[in-house]
Amino acid sequence: MRVLYLLNISNPDRLSADSGWIFADLLAPALVDAGAEVTVAAPAPAGDARCGFHQTKVPGTKYRARFSADIDELVALIREEKPDVVVANQIEEAPAIRTAQLEAGSNALLAGYCHYLPFSFTRGGQLQLDPSLNDAGLGRPVLLAFAAGLAACDRVLVHSSTAASWVSAAAARTTVDLGEKLRVVPAPRDERLVRDPATTQPASGAGAIGVYNHRLYAHYGTGQFVDLARDLVASGTVRLRVMDLFGQRRAERKGLDDSPEKMRDQLAALPHVQVVSDRGDRVRYKDLLAGARFGIAPFRPGCPWSMSVIDCQGMGLPVISPRLGWLAEHIDPELCFTTPAEAVALAERLATDAEFHALHAKRAHASTADFTPTLIAARYLEAVS
């Protein structure tokens, strides 16, 4: 099977902060191991030397990634690669890709991966546009472009059952019939970030570290985390380690959304909160996780998946989480909270109760066992067969 993987990269200056790139970098070699021929078309290469690479331009903004597909380039690429399967990581590009296939005379299966959903649903079933994609009222055009992508695809791949439910509901509201297209294929875990908690003795007691390793956008609910951080460190039982995953961003990205810089400064000003950078180094990132006792999930309502949560769990770090989206589906119910007081109680218990921590460290580690790249590649190929 010849797979052409079309990958949008939003953070070319810091690939370690781009979950779409990390996912492709882990998945592509596993697909090759499973017998596929893989070419990644992206602004930066992903995978290993066995994977082909076609360099594409960096889309200047997240909106250009959705509305400015180069059909001439796509036609030439499809004619050159002659794929059996084309994967659109930016599903809004699927209609343009289908157009290019038509011009190139290709009957390749077109699979759209819903890596990021531009919407979410409340518990009452109300559709909410993602505020990060609603500048100048563009949220609804993005939603309709997403729906058009669903309609253009032969397969629609999503990370989780929560994402499947939301995508199905959005498709129905935009009169798109998904039929038998939908498949759930989780993202692979990073085997470099796997540690058996039975072999480690994490620090406990006063000053135990809780780690927040998520991008600091406002739409991730970082403002709520800033408020919670004050409560978590108030007693001195817990200290916080916050990851600055972006470093210095390009002016174009800050121009659209400067909230990561503002949130970083607010967190750095809090007592007992350490803001650290992995400097794009996965070894340093692992070391920073290894020194923590537990993780904290984001407050992002439209969360269909979180690679950062999986990173923590693979390292044997229990993760406390608000009851939101996929987080509530995946994380142990005993570690989910609805109020700040519940979050503080959970954090302090994980910091001081060795038996409670050991139980949940084991459960966290086990919850990632089915996400090895080998197993996910097999599910991926089955989904596009």
Side-chain angles (χ1 to χ4, degrees):
M1 179 186 293
R2 294 175 61 87
V3 178
L4 175 58
Y5 196 106
L6 304 176
L7 174 61
N8 168 52
I9 293 176
S10 58
N11 302 294
D13 304 320
R14 187 63 68 89
L15 292 174
S16 63
D18 193 300
S19 56
W21 180 85
I22 293 173
F23 177 28
D25 193 50
L26 297 171
L27 179 64
L31 292 173
V32 174
D33 289 340
E37 296 180 49
V38 180
T39 295
V40 178
D48 58 27
R50 299 171 299 165
C51 301
F53 171 58
H54 176 87
Q55 188 163 21
T56 58
K57 296 177 182 177
V58 177
T61 69
K62 53 195 168 184
Y63 297 107
R64 282 180 175 265
R66 288 162 170 82
F67 295 123
S68 62
D70 187 333
I71 294 181
D72 288 337
E73 181 182 36
L74 288 169
V75 170
L77 183 58
I78 291 168
R79 283 176 174 161
E80 179 182 348
E81 293 296 327
K82 298 179 175 59
D84 302 302
V85 177
V86 179
V87 178
N89 192 65
Q90 192 74 61
I91 195 165
E92 292 90 344
E93 289 191 332
I97 297 167
R98 180 66 85 189
T99 300
Q101 286 184 252
L102 179 65
E103 290 188 22
S106 169
N107 62 357
L109 181 142
L110 177 55
Y113 212 110
C114 301
H115 182 71
Y116 193 102
L117 305 184
F119 56 86
S120 61
F121 284 88
T122 66
R123 291 183 180 179
Q126 181 180 1
L127 185 147
Q128 294 184 322
L129 298 175
D130 190 310
S132 75
L133 288 165
N134 198 23
D135 299 285
L138 280 167
R140 192 155 297 281
V142 170
L143 171 63
L144 294 174
F146 184 92
L150 297 178
C153 288
D154 300 303
R155 297 283 190 281
V156 174
L157 311 183
V158 296
H159 288 319
S160 63
S161 296
T162 296
S165 174
W166 287 350
V167 169
S168 295
R173 294 187 183 204
T174 51
T175 69
V176 174
D177 182 9
L178 290 180
E180 301 298 318
K181 294 180 181 182
L182 196 61
R183 305 285 190 279
V184 175
V185 183
R189 72 181 186 185
D190 188 339
E191 295 299 298
R192 297 166 294 184
L193 303 175
V194 176
R195 180 187 64 173
D196 187 346
T199 66
T200 60
Q201 293 293 328
S204 61
I209 294 173
V211 66
Y212 187 85
N213 59 329
H214 309 283
R215 299 191 285 183
L216 298 178
Y217 288 121
H219 67 272
Y220 271 61
T222 314
Q224 290 174 268
F225 172 68
V226 173
D227 294 337
L228 177 61
R230 296 188 179 95
D231 296 332
L232 288 173
V233 302
S235 71
T237 303
V238 170
R239 291 182 293 132
L240 295 180
R241 175 173 293 163
V242 176
M243 298 286 200
D244 173 20
L245 298 173
F246 284 141
Q248 294 300 316
R249 296 189 304 149
R250 289 179 290 120
E252 297 92 337
R253 293 180 60 74
K254 286 193 286 187
L256 277 179
D257 185 352
D258 63 355
S259 63
E261 287 75 20
K262 291 180 177 178
M263 297 294 174
R264 180 181 62 198
D265 292 344
Q266 289 180 35
L267 287 162
L270 296 177
H272 309 300
V273 175
Q274 176 193 33
V275 177
V276 298
S277 173
D278 64 2
R279 300 192 289 269
D281 183 340
R282 296 299 271 179
V283 173
R284 176 171 167 78
Y285 177 62
K286 180 178 182 178
D287 289 343
L288 290 168
L289 293 182
R293 188 165 172 86
F294 65 92
I296 304 165
F299 285 79
R300 181 181 161 203
C303 189
W305 186 263
S306 171
M307 188 167 286
S308 296
V309 165
I310 300 299
D311 291 344
C312 286
Q313 292 178 320
M315 291 286 291
L317 301 183
V319 178
I320 64 172
S321 171
R323 299 181 194 275
L324 293 171
W326 166 80
L327 300 166
E329 171 193 331
H330 174 73
I331 291 175
D332 192 302
E334 284 191 326
L335 297 183
C336 291
F337 59 82
T338 54
T339 67
E342 291 174 354
V344 171
L346 282 171
E348 294 189 347
R349 188 175 180 189
L350 286 170
T352 59
D353 187 333
E355 185 176 352
F356 183 72
H357 181 275
L359 170 65
H360 283 287
K362 181 179 179 180
R363 288 181 181 176
H365 180 72
S367 73
T368 72
D370 291 337
F371 303 149
T372 68
T374 298
L375 291 175
I376 297 304
R379 292 181 65 170
Y380 203 99
L381 291 175
E382 180 182 8
V384 299
S385 295

